[in-house]
Amino acid sequence: MKVRSITIGLPLTAEVSGQMIDAAGDFAAQVKDALQAAGLEVQTMRLAAPPLSSVLAGVGAADVAVAAMTYAGSLARAAQAAGFNYVSLGPVLAIPPDANTYPLIEALPEILEQGEGLFATVQTGAMLNGRRMVNVRAARAAAQVIRALAERGNDGFANLNFAAIANCAANIPFFPVAYYAPQGEGERGSYGLALETADLAVAAFNDAPNLETAKQRLVDALEHEGNQALQALQGLNPRYRFNGLDFSTAPFPAPESSIGNAIEQLGVAPRFGMSGTLFSAALLTSALAAVKLPRCGYSGLMLPVLEDSTLAQRSMEVGLYNVDSLLLYSAVCGLGLDTVPLPGDISAAELTGILLDMTALALKLNKPLTARLFPVPGKVGGDKAAWDFAFFAPGGVLVGKGGAADGEMAVRDELVEL
């Protein structure tokens, strides 16, 4: 197991406080030292801000895009100086929308260019006064952001830093969804650990004599490694509230750290995407639910196509799985659609439909889901896609289904209740 991220959330305002961020950077470094002294590798330190729309709530709609760019640039510089690798600007909240919602969403491609390592999201659905609400207009606007980011740099990689989110609470330590919200007055901030645990599943399932043994091995391994991390944190000054561990099965593009490999080792689905994959995903999720550790975030099964060597390999075997398959698996596991390579000419209408499908699942099943989609310029379904990025494996572009000829969805509703 590795620590993908130490994620610290802060009650930031539009007037970026370098002192507040420096103090958080010092604390993150102490956490990193403590974990590494316990034998746990720490990959990154990340900073999560409150929702972008909340930070800029006092700015008028005519000025909010420029204000957001100024804020994002200042925050990126301060965070980098404090030792953070990445910064989440948080979501543009759209349930309910206000005058700034759509100007902010439209400006996101430019906002994300204001500094190194900036991430942001758009909220497409959430509970509102006990009602399941979807913002169709926000989904359409998010699809346009995905299209715009795909065309920057000619390789689609800019979509790494953007996602649509639905039913996602604050203080999830994984990016891009991470954002901060306090749980009490005067709180200085909070932190959590995003863990990379796919290797534990691979080891637990290897040569397991039966499925129950495989499940118990994984539970035991997660509790052992998780408790090791918790013990390492005990001597630290509790400057910030501890949210817990997100022990999701985040993979790394190598066979020994591939959740797809772990699923195939269970023996139900010989290749990821074949019949039996849904059952295997549900089984693995049940093991994660049985872990007795202070948890936060997803703490569920992650299936990021390009970050997992087996999933990426199977994506090149046309017909094994598609976007609908991944949405189906999301019904029994976690996260949703992550790093999914799509045809470069996929329309905004089809992207909107995918985002709305994800949102419907999140609300109807009452679970946090996201969609981080990668249209790859110049590629069609079945083509190979590859980037020079340590956390990605070469994968196959999933086949699209088409959409409106003009690229726009005909529906013009805004808020819709499910």
Side-chain angles (χ1 to χ4, degrees), residues 185-232:
E185 250 184 82
E187 183 175 273
R188 289 185 288 189
S190 68
Y191 77 106
L193 303 184
L195 305 178
E196 185 182 294
T197 64
D199 60 328
L200 300 183
V202 173
F205 297 168
N206 184 37
D207 294 328
N210 53 58
L211 297 178
E212 282 300 327
T213 299
K215 281 177 57 178
Q216 192 57 51
R217 283 181 179 177
L218 178 56
V219 172
D220 292 344
L222 284 167
E223 290 182 347
H224 173 76
E225 296 284 336
N227 279 314
Q228 193 176 0
L230 293 173
Q231 289 169 12

Side-chain angles (χ1 to χ4, degrees), residues 165-187:
I165 67 172
N167 209 35
C168 291
N171 305 319
I172 297 173
F174 278 98
F175 274 37
V177 69
Y179 68 98
Y180 171 73
Q183 289 188 359
E185 250 184 82
E187 183 175 273

